[in-house]
Amino acid sequence: RMLYESDLANGIGNFSARVLALAAGKRVAEKLSPDVENKIKEVKESVSEKIDHFKLHEALGVIMGLVKFGDEYVNTMAPWKMEEGKKKNEVLWNLVVLLDNLAAFLDPFLPQTSSRITSQLLWEGDTLVVTKKDILFPRLT
């Protein structure tokens, strides 16, 4: 129950819900900021290396580090306070691409969760169309 609440509901579920709520109904396509691009690349390499060596728990730890990075990014950038325009679109693009990559990294561990995230992100060429459907991990009572 504690892992469910901390990593799934409060971690992955909360980050996913925030990004999807902020970007719902939008079409986003910008250039990734270097810090986000580097973080995704770093996580991809680390997760791949950990899985290759059957260090699955460590791979999940790296993935949860990406969730923490995403949470810090969204809190720092505060796109809900931004005016519509290029800068806000860039921030939303970074967040949606982070979420899309998070789903890909989660696929070997939580395939249903991964597909529920990606079902809300529709690629049309190099543009992502975002919808918001349901809560990934409802709070336990």
Side-chain angles (χ1 to χ4, degrees):
R1 179 181 171 115
M2 196 158 147
L3 178 65
Y4 176 90
E5 288 179 1
S6 68
D7 286 353
L8 299 181
N10 295 338
I12 297 165
N14 185 49
F15 177 67
S16 174
R18 290 175 79 189
V19 172
L20 293 169
L22 288 165
K26 298 206 182 331
R27 301 173 67 89
V28 289
E30 297 288 340
K31 185 164 173 45
L32 275 180
S33 66
D35 58 332
V36 171
E37 189 172 18
N38 290 336
K39 183 64 175 181
I40 290 169
K41 183 180 178 195
E42 170 192 312
V43 169
K44 184 177 186 176
E45 290 170 359
S46 183
V47 167
S48 178
E49 185 265 328
K50 304 261 185 233
I51 289 174
D52 286 350
H53 292 95
F54 303 102
K55 297 178 179 178
L56 304 183
H57 184 72
E58 290 179 21
L60 282 168
V62 172
I63 293 167
M64 291 311 298
L66 183 65
V67 173
K68 184 175 186 234
F69 175 87
D71 280 335
E72 289 170 359
Y73 181 84
V74 74
N75 290 338
T76 300
M77 300 310 290
W80 55 89
K81 294 180 181 176
M82 294 179 160
E83 305 243 348
E84 292 300 323
K86 185 166 177 56
K87 181 62 179 167
K88 184 173 185 172
N89 284 347
E90 287 173 7
V91 170
L92 293 176
W93 176 251
N94 284 319
L95 288 169
V96 171
V97 171
L98 275 169
L99 182 60
D100 192 40
N101 277 274
L102 173 64
F105 297 138
L106 287 173
D107 190 53
F109 303 98
L110 296 166
Q112 286 182 318
T113 298
S114 175
S115 67
R116 285 176 67 197
I117 293 170
T118 57
S119 73
Q120 298 174 82
L121 306 173
L122 175 64
W123 282 98
E124 291 182 357
D126 62 353
T127 301
L128 265 170
V129 180
V130 182
T131 61
K132 180 157 178 18
K133 295 181 182 159
D134 56 1
I135 295 171
L136 290 179
F137 301 102
R139 302 245 183 246
L140 300 176
T141 55

